[in-house]
Amino acid sequence: MTAPSPTRRVVFRKRRLRVDDVNVVDQPMLKKAIGGTIVGNTMEWFDVGVFGYLITTMGPVFLPEADPSVQTLFLLGTFAATFIARPAGGVFFGWLGDKIGRQRVLAATLIMMAASTFALGLLPGYAQIGVWAAVLLVAIKLVQGFSTGGEYAGATTFVSEYAADKRRGFLASFLDMGSYLGFALGAALVSVLQLTLGQEAMEAYGWRIPFLIAGPLGLVAIWFRLKIEESPTFQAALDAQEQAGKELAANDEAAAKGPIGIVRSYWRELLVAMVLVAAANTVGYALTSYMPTYLTVSKGYDEVHGTLLTIPVLVVMSLCIPLTGKLSDRIGRRPVLWIGAVSTIVLAVPAFALIGIGSVAATVAGLALVAFPVTFYVANLASALPAQFPTASRYGAMGIAYNVAVAVFGGTTPFIIDALIQATGDDMAPAYYLMGTSVVGAAAIWFLRESAQRPLPGSLPSVDTPAEAAEVVAAQDEDPRIDLTHMPLPEVPLAVTDDGDELQLALDHPAAVEAAEREGVDLQATALEAQACGKEPIASGPVSGQTPVVAGVGAAL
């Protein structure tokens, strides 16, 4: 009696990676892309920083009849209002960036941001239009916040998609280097104006100068940004979508559903990202946006020294950020982020104790202790967070995660800390607040997916040279960092027996066609791709027990 033949089922597997699939970075275009995003990011945080450094100066301009403490709380609340609008901007521009591309949206956000900052410099004060001056100030800051909501999320997405996998941490960290240099530039300009004009002239007209300077700076930044091209990773995703639309839609339903679909599909990744952004930006904004006010109001420094003392710390910290980004490429994003969280918990109390001594040397040392964990935190968020989401939803997911967290925790940090000090009378309250947020941040790092030296989800590998592309293809079966299931590659049909033997079917085999229709796989796109490149669409895994079947040859099932 003849033994019954083993039953088979048809499954689909991504085809093997080829050398021409691997993106080899165009180095001149990479430099242009990084330069264009850094210039815009620097200008953005120059604008944000200037407002923070002018809080004690602008209070009498917009609320001259109020108590100084009320003036400070109003300006800090206005600063926080900027961040209330950020989530809406992040959702809108993120959705738009995933639909029409990163480059055009980043140009639009920069234009809106530069225009609103310039308008702030033209704003009449209380003496001209009364309480409406304060109302218009809040309105302009809301517009600025809306545009800023799409800026950082788009910039990190853009640079991450341009960079080679092995250098993503180093290259993406330049964004935050530009951010904190923008803060330092804003602090330096405000300090020069305070020293040359004096407090009376600053309140009369000098506070306007930094905002008006943002106009021509914005034009330069926009010119740089319009020169860069769309990210190759996003363009590859668009090409894959055009070639295999049904398959891509099935693999990433969140892209078709927009923000609601993103939240439903990636709520765990969004939650982890939000907690990390909250922990990092609480420390970051405490250093950049609140310290000048803290030194002036709580520690008795005048406005000039309250600003000047932060400048050397910001400059040194900014220059060290690429070093910690490079470190994350070597040892991983998670270990470097843990250094940031643990050092915040350990150094917060000593930092504010040093600042409390009152001497210039002790204050600078205390500021440096606050800056140390920021260097490890922010350098890695720009590369770690975009890598948690697939290409088709990356900008939108980053817009939601980053801006919601910054709105709730980052931008409100100066306001919350000042309110804590006034409520408790304890100048160490800021230290306890920073420690608490970093304890939660350290726990979130456990759930963060490691992304160092790995392709972005939904993207093909990215390397610096053709030789590296060949190495990636040769090692794809052994390298645990290469996961073809999340790459935009066509799927090929396999007949699998109960014993586990696999046989690759021809693309025109009736069983393959039937299974493709049943599972929603675009087999026609796979056939067109194979025909266009003149190569067989070999499956990613080993084909055991049988010789692979090429197009036009049948196989018994």
Side-chain angles (χ1 to χ4, degrees), residues 61 249 521:
V61 176
V521 175

Side-chain angles (χ1 to χ4, degrees), residues 52-139:
Y53 293 124
L54 287 172
I55 281 176
T56 56
T57 300
M58 294 172 65
V61 176
F62 291 93
L63 291 178
E65 299 176 359
D67 184 80
S69 62
V70 175
Q71 293 175 356
T72 299
L73 280 175
F74 168 72
L75 268 297
L76 289 173
T78 302
F79 181 82
T82 306
F83 294 84
I84 294 175
R86 289 185 66 151
V91 170
F92 174 75
F93 289 116
W95 168 81
L96 195 62
D98 283 333
K99 290 292 183 183
I100 69 173
R102 286 59 162 129
Q103 188 268 345
R104 284 184 285 178
V105 171
L106 282 172
T109 60
L110 190 54
I111 291 170
M112 185 181 296
M113 185 174 59
S116 59
T117 303
F118 186 75
L120 200 156
L122 300 175
L123 188 65
Y126 185 92
Q128 287 76 45
I129 59 174
V131 71
W132 284 104
V135 174
L136 289 176
L137 174 65
V138 174

Side-chain angles (χ1 to χ4, degrees), residues 40-41 43-45 47-48 81-94 105-117 139-155 225 395 399 402-403:
N41 224 38
M43 199 212 87
E44 173 195 356
W45 295 107
D47 298 344
V48 175
T82 306
F83 294 84
I84 294 175
R86 289 185 66 151
V91 170
F92 174 75
F93 289 116
V105 171
L106 282 172
T109 60
L110 190 54
I111 291 170
M112 185 181 296
M113 185 174 59
S116 59
T117 303
I140 290 175
K141 293 298 289 181
L142 288 173
V143 173
Q144 189 183 66
F146 184 78
S147 61
T148 304
E151 172 64 26
Y152 185 79
R225 187 156 287 183
Y395 197 160
Y402 185 82
N403 290 294

